[in-house]
Amino acid sequence: MCVPKDSAPKLAQTDQWIKTFDFDAFTADMKKLGDELEKNQGDADVRHLNKMIMWSNMCVLVGLLTMGFGVSIIPVVALSTFTFTRWTMIAHHTCHGGYDKCHPNKSRWNRFKFAVGGTWKRMCDWFDWMMPEAWNVEHNNRHHYCLSEIEDPDLVENNLVDMRNLPVPTIFKWMGLPFL
């Protein structure tokens, strides 16, 4: 819906810069930066990915090999680091298309093929309960196109509104957070 200029809300003092912001120049700068970064992708990025995969695999190996030796923090840290690195460093970048143009193995390191095509690929690439296809819709579409808006599925303030409004003492809300 269009808002007439004379009824536009008054900007806060800290937001006055937006009046003179050159959106066209900013857009051109971002496009230029993106093109430059894309041209610089290559073997170094693939080597870095392979190094991160190796460290992630080492974490899962340490975690699995040490979990039978009684109660210890080592398997917990190793397995959680494995899961975290798979999501944040490997799957996230791959599902955003970070290796589409530079990785020689296009059948695996492509945003549309990563972790898709069978149970084995899924277990090797995406060892989690959420399907990669669902993540692509949830994260790439709903999250990035609605960043910090009510429709953003990752907006914590909105996701915890029911918890925040519960008529119980705060200590009970904190105790309930791990079960969400």
Side-chain angles (χ1 to χ4, degrees):
M1 176 159 118
C2 295
V3 178
K5 288 187 180 198
D6 58 335
S7 67
K10 186 168 175 63
L11 291 172
Q13 183 64 31
T14 55
D15 295 333
Q16 292 297 318
W17 62 270
I18 201 82
K19 286 181 186 176
T20 58
F21 187 76
D22 188 349
F23 287 96
D24 294 330
F26 179 74
T27 301
D29 287 347
M30 290 297 104
K31 175 78 173 113
K32 181 181 172 188
L33 177 63
D35 292 342
E36 182 181 325
L37 291 172
E38 187 176 315
K39 278 191 293 189
N40 291 331
Q41 281 186 313
D43 292 337
D45 297 294
V46 175
R47 283 193 306 275
H48 179 71
L49 171 66
N50 291 335
K51 183 171 60 170
M52 293 299 102
I53 293 168
M54 180 201 61
W55 282 111
S56 182
N57 289 343
M58 293 306 295
C59 286
V60 78
L61 188 64
V62 167
L64 291 174
L65 291 176
T66 58
M67 59 194 269
F69 295 117
V71 178
S72 171
I73 192 73
I74 294 171
V76 172
V77 170
L79 292 173
S80 65
T81 302
F82 160 75
T83 303
F84 184 76
T85 57
R86 284 294 170 156
W87 268 95
T88 59
M89 293 185 219
I90 299 167
H92 187 262
H93 291 77
T94 304
C95 289
H96 273 301
Y99 301 105
D100 284 3
K101 295 181 181 168
C102 68
H103 203 288
N105 185 354
K106 307 284 187 224
S107 64
R108 180 175 182 195
W109 301 104
N110 177 285
R111 76 176 92 192
F112 302 112
K113 298 176 182 172
F114 182 74
V116 177
T119 306
W120 180 249
K121 278 186 79 174
R122 170 96 185 267
M123 291 298 114
C124 291
D125 293 342
W126 190 282
F127 195 66
D128 206 273
W129 61 270
M130 186 176 190
M131 292 180 65
E133 300 90 342
W135 188 87
N136 284 328
V137 170
E138 176 97 3
H139 183 80
N140 290 352
N141 297 340
R142 294 195 59 223
H143 170 65
H144 280 287
Y145 287 99
C146 301
L147 199 58
S148 296
E149 297 175 2
I150 294 297
E151 294 82 17
D152 181 355
D154 296 338
L155 187 62
V156 176
E157 303 92 306
N158 190 46
N159 294 342
L160 291 176
V161 72
D162 293 334
M163 175 72 86
R164 200 169 42 251
N165 293 336
L166 277 176
V168 297
T170 304
I171 187 70
F172 293 116
K173 294 176 185 180
W174 281 98
M175 289 170 32
L177 283 176
F179 300 102
L180 292 178

